[in-house]
Amino acid sequence: MTTPRSYPHDTIPAALDALSERPAALRPAPVAVDLDGVWNALRSQPEQHAPHLGDALIEAGLLGAAQLQTALRRQAAMGQHVPIGELLVQLGLISPAQLRMTLAAWLGVPTVDLAHARPEPQALDRVPRALAQRESVLPLMVREDMLVVVVSDPWDQRLLDVLRFVTELRIRPVLAAPGTLTPAIAQAYQIKLDAQGGSPAPSSGPGLPMQAQSIRELAQELGEGDAASAEADAGAVSESDNALVRLVNRLIADAVELRASDIHIETFEAPKPVRVRMRVDGDLVRYLELPARVRFAVVARLKIMADLDISEHRRPQDGKIDFSRFGGAPLELRMVTVPTSGGLEDVVLRLLGGMRPLPLDGIGLSDANLEGLRRMMAKPYGLLLICGPTGCGKTTTLHSVMRELNEDKRKIWTAEDPIEITQDGLRQVQMNPRIGWTFAAAMRTFLRADPDVIMIGEMRDEETARIAVEASLTGHLVMSTLHTNSAPESVTRLLEIGLDPFMFSDSLLAVLAQRLVRRLCLDCRVPEPLDERATRSLLRLYLQSGSGASDHSEETLLANWHQHCAVDGQLRQYRRNGCDACGGTGYKGRLGIHELVIADEALRELIRRRAPASEMFVAAQRSGMSTLRQDGIAKLLAGLTDLTEVLAATGQ
């Protein structure tokens, strides 16, 4: 019995959506040799021929009917589905080049002979030479808002997205005749360079649009259909709409320029517009409103970029976007979708990649805390913890520590989820709990990989903490983070999850708690002298935030402030004002306030007998610890921040 034919359509990737038609036809037309021939081939309707890819291969003389039947029987017997074209290549019946050429003819994608066709100079101006050579693409001609490009694979969706972003034009791919693409790219750009007298023309560089539009111009372009629509959803936008693709890319690029940490896209039922907010320096600010008719398309576009299921609207999804795939900066974004009322979804994007570690003396540590932390980092083994709530800069501080430790003589392994900051010299490992690759599993593996320093992104469970303590006692410097509010509280938290107090007390070197406060704009801050009443209030606030164990009295503390902070014999604080440099907010950037507990013998004894956090807090203050609020007040007197920020961050 003859096996019924089964020609799965997934041999045709989603990139074919960029083509104007998807005809099931084999076009036996000759290879185009000039630009007019290519354009005519793109505009013409192909004759209806082979209904299936296998028939097209037979008509092209590349495959026999018996060979096709054998391949179909093999396909039916396989446990997992393999497209027929891919299977024929695996069986050696056709080559990959023959498959591409046949697919192109079958789907109406013209083939051009670049030995004769010459690209237009205005087309070459649209794509930088470096990008063309790296991606093996040759811009051929511009027709209205469409750029025709010659590629080796017309179904490479990633490449088409990059070209759409770089050129801000619709992209129509055509196939190069075998063996003609690479030499044609080199020749075309060399001719262009010679015509300019040997000097390359100014361009925007790889990955940057030639004709950049502002985000509001793009939003206005998408909203033009609203006024003519009786209903808000009339003329709804597609996720592949060129203007929408450019808007999403521009939105991410603007977030990078504004130093935003998160992008929030909030959708509402029509006619209420889509709201876009960004978190800049810790505060959410309203950035843009988009027309209601894009509320589904903008979410779908981001899902496509993150390789998520665009048909799923009822359940949350999470994924990652590599922005460099779409022609942008080397940046990774963590994306989560949240279903909301009315069958809508919100999207939150966290900007992760592209960051570089800061020098340790550039994160806001006081002189005393910096000296104490460096002293602990110099130890050959032990446990160093950094604690605080989500978003307080723990990862930045960890990488600043590792930046100083990152030398050729040390092997440093890191286990992170996600990898937010990259450093040359570190061996950084991304966690994947779905396959059992957890922090604990990574720790066990690292211990067999000859480490000097191990960094664990977070101590989330007893197993990870126990292995970290054991590693710190066997000759390794181990660093990690905890979600706790203060340095002494971190110690009691680890005891509560099951750590042995004797092993833990021997391994602990120090705990650094931190918060982030907004930094005053140095261009517009306004100094205000502190009168006697304000000074006394600040003194009481400073002393009340401690345990009373400090030797400081108001008078000794006041003398110390005058010695280190006074300007012309007068203590002062600074008030925010607002200018163009800071966007009118009065703040520009953030800095840390810190609380460092160094494990001495008194603290270790308290750990061994499981003393409460309050006793550990008193012992730490006696050893010289400054609280978060005290460190914040010191930075206030130095003119780096203001009292409002300090009180909000310390929450006391």
Side-chain angles (χ1 to χ4, degrees):
M1 185 175 71
T2 303
T3 304
R5 292 189 174 184
S6 171
Y7 296 92
H9 289 85
D10 55 2
T11 57
I12 309 166
L16 291 177
D17 291 341
L19 304 176
S20 60
E21 293 117 1
R22 283 183 56 182
L26 177 65
R27 188 190 307 187
V31 174
V33 296
D34 57 25
L35 300 189
D36 289 338
V38 174
W39 186 243
N40 290 334
L42 287 169
R43 296 171 61 188
S44 63
Q45 294 291 329
E47 300 176 8
Q48 295 300 312
H49 260 293
H52 304 294
L53 176 60
D55 295 325
L57 289 164
I58 293 173
E59 287 188 9
L62 299 174
L63 196 67
Q67 292 175 314
L68 177 60
Q69 290 300 323
T70 300
L72 288 171
R73 284 194 291 270
R74 176 73 66 87
Q75 183 191 46
M78 295 181 72
Q80 59 181 11
H81 174 69
V82 177
I84 189 64
E86 183 181 329
L87 181 59
L88 290 169
V89 172
Q90 291 176 3
L91 295 174
L93 298 176
I94 59 173
S95 68
Q98 289 173 328
L99 176 62
R100 284 197 300 271
M101 293 288 288
T102 307
L103 270 171
W106 184 49
L107 296 163
V109 179
T111 300
V112 57
D113 183 0
L114 294 173
H116 301 91
R118 292 289 179 262
E120 296 177 346
Q122 60 266 37
L124 294 172
D125 288 340
R126 295 284 182 168
V127 180
R129 180 175 186 169
L131 176 63
Q133 291 178 330
R134 185 178 73 244
E135 300 289 352
S136 294
V137 55
L138 180 63
L140 199 60
M141 56 184 169
V142 179
R143 295 294 183 268
E144 297 176 350
D145 66 339
M146 178 187 296
L147 176 67
V148 179
V149 295
V150 188
V151 294
S152 58
D153 181 3
W155 301 283
D156 185 348
Q157 183 64 46
R158 181 198 63 82
L159 176 58
L160 300 183
D161 282 335
V162 168
L163 292 173
R164 261 196 297 269
F165 177 76
V166 170
T167 65
E168 296 194 349
L169 294 171
R170 291 192 298 127
I171 303 299
R172 189 71 181 268
V174 297
L175 189 66
T180 64
L181 181 56
T182 301
I185 294 172
Q187 183 182 24
Y189 280 95
Q190 187 58 49
I191 291 173
K192 175 174 177 282
L193 187 63
D194 293 341
Q196 296 165 351
S199 299
S203 72
S204 57
L208 294 177
M210 298 291 293
Q211 298 174 339
Q213 285 180 269
S214 74
I215 190 80
R216 283 161 182 78
E217 290 173 338
L218 290 167
Q220 184 178 3
E221 182 179 337
L222 286 169
E224 287 175 352
D226 280 0
S229 301
E231 299 179 6
D233 286 336
V237 177
S238 164
E239 65 272 5
S240 60
D241 183 276
N242 190 45
L244 179 71
V245 170
R246 286 182 286 143
L247 181 138
V248 171
N249 290 335
R250 175 58 57 192
L251 176 64
I252 296 173
D254 285 359
V256 175
E257 292 179 8
L258 292 169
R259 311 182 319 277
S261 60
D262 302 87
I263 304 172
H264 295 251
I265 298 171
E266 300 162 343
T267 59
F268 304 92
E269 293 189 11
K272 196 172 181 180
V274 177
R275 183 172 64 181
V276 180
R277 296 193 287 172
M278 293 186 185
R279 190 176 296 279
V280 181
D281 292 339
D283 278 359
L284 271 178
V285 294
R286 184 170 295 195
Y287 180 69
L288 181 69
E289 287 189 350
L290 299 174
R293 68 192 191 110
V294 306
R295 64 189 185 279
F296 297 111
V298 70
V299 175
R301 174 60 192 165
L302 289 166
K303 285 183 178 180
I304 289 171
M305 295 174 72
D307 295 324
L308 300 180
D309 184 359
I310 65 172
S311 64
E312 178 57 67
H313 306 287
R314 298 172 298 174
R315 293 185 298 179
Q317 299 184 68
D318 61 89
K320 293 180 181 178
I321 297 174
D322 180 2
F323 193 41
S324 63
R325 286 180 50 205
F326 306 95
L331 171 74
E332 186 175 78
L333 299 99
R334 186 166 56 188
M335 171 175 164
V336 59
T337 67
V338 183
T340 57
S341 61
L344 300 172
E345 294 174 278
D346 279 13
V347 176
V348 179
L349 300 167
R350 169 155 288 187
L351 284 67
L352 300 178
M355 294 188 291
R356 291 293 176 264
L358 298 172
L360 192 59
D361 55 6
I363 62 174
L365 287 164
S366 67
D367 292 341
N369 286 339
L370 181 60
E371 188 275 332
L373 185 59
R374 280 182 167 152
R375 194 170 69 250
M376 294 300 102
M377 289 163 49
K379 302 283 186 180
Y381 59 87
L383 181 63
L384 178 62
L385 298 174
I386 299 174
C387 66
T390 300
C392 73
K394 298 187 296 296
T395 301
T396 301
T397 300
L398 268 182
H399 276 273
S400 296
V401 170
M402 287 188 293
R403 173 176 165 159
E404 290 208 358
L405 296 173
N406 189 4
E407 300 175 351
D408 287 343
K409 65 182 181 181
R410 291 191 180 96
K411 181 61 176 279
I412 303 177
W413 287 102
T414 79
E416 303 174 68
D417 187 21
I419 297 174
E420 299 184 34
I421 301 174
T422 57
Q423 286 193 60
D424 292 336
L426 304 187
R427 308 310 301 150
Q428 296 179 257
V429 179
Q430 171 67 51
M431 297 296 94
N432 189 350
R434 295 178 181 176
I435 62 171
W437 187 231
T438 61
F439 286 119
M443 281 290 297
R444 286 191 290 267
T445 301
F446 291 169
L447 290 175
R448 299 192 295 270
D450 189 29
D452 294 299
V453 180
I454 298 174
M455 190 273 272
I456 302 298
E458 183 184 347
M459 284 190 180
R460 296 178 177 173
D461 52 59
E462 186 270 339
E463 183 183 15
T464 304
R466 178 178 50 78
I467 298 173
V469 168
E470 291 174 358
S472 68
L473 290 172
T474 54
H476 308 97
L477 182 61
V478 181
M479 295 177 287
S480 188
T481 69
L482 279 173
H483 284 103
T484 50
N485 293 323
S486 67
E489 184 182 325
S490 301
V491 176
T492 57
R493 174 72 58 84
L494 288 172
L495 293 175
E496 287 168 358
I497 67 173
L499 284 186
D500 178 84
F502 292 92
M503 294 180 64
F504 180 40
S505 65
D506 289 340
S507 69
L508 184 64
L509 294 176
V511 183
L512 180 72
Q514 71 176 57
R515 301 288 189 276
L516 289 179
V517 294
R518 288 185 291 178
R519 188 189 294 266
L520 286 171
C521 176
L522 299 180
D523 293 330
C524 64
R525 63 180 183 175
V526 178
E528 292 183 342
L530 286 171
D531 58 22
E532 179 68 20
R533 180 179 178 183
T535 302
R536 291 295 172 184
S537 295
L538 201 60
L539 284 167
R540 287 193 293 272
L541 192 64
Y542 185 99
L543 295 172
Q544 287 170 2
S545 66
S547 62
S550 173
D551 294 333
H552 285 305
S553 65
E554 285 193 13
E555 298 309 318
T556 57
L557 184 58
L558 182 59
N560 186 49
W561 284 357
H562 273 282
Q563 180 182 353
H564 295 95
C565 304
V567 178
D568 296 329
Q570 175 68 56
L571 291 175
R572 60 174 64 181
Q573 62 180 348
Y574 290 80
R575 173 175 55 82
R576 67 186 180 102
N577 186 27
C579 64
D580 292 339
C582 60
T585 64
Y587 299 105
K588 189 174 181 181
R590 291 190 287 178
L591 78 154
I593 57 175
H594 304 91
E595 179 179 279
L596 179 65
V597 172
I598 294 177
D600 56 11
E601 190 53 42
L603 181 62
R604 290 194 173 97
E605 180 58 33
L606 293 174
I607 294 174
R608 293 185 191 110
R609 61 183 182 86
R610 297 179 179 271
S614 57
E615 288 189 35
M616 295 186 188
F617 187 80
V618 172
Q621 280 236 288
R622 285 177 178 157
S623 299
M625 180 195 79
S626 293
T627 67
L628 289 166
R629 177 166 289 184
Q630 289 171 347
D631 191 49
I633 291 174
K635 290 179 170 66
L636 176 155
L637 293 171
L640 300 177
T641 188
D642 57 23
L643 186 60
T644 302
E645 284 293 300
V646 173
L647 295 178
T650 55
Q652 297 175 4

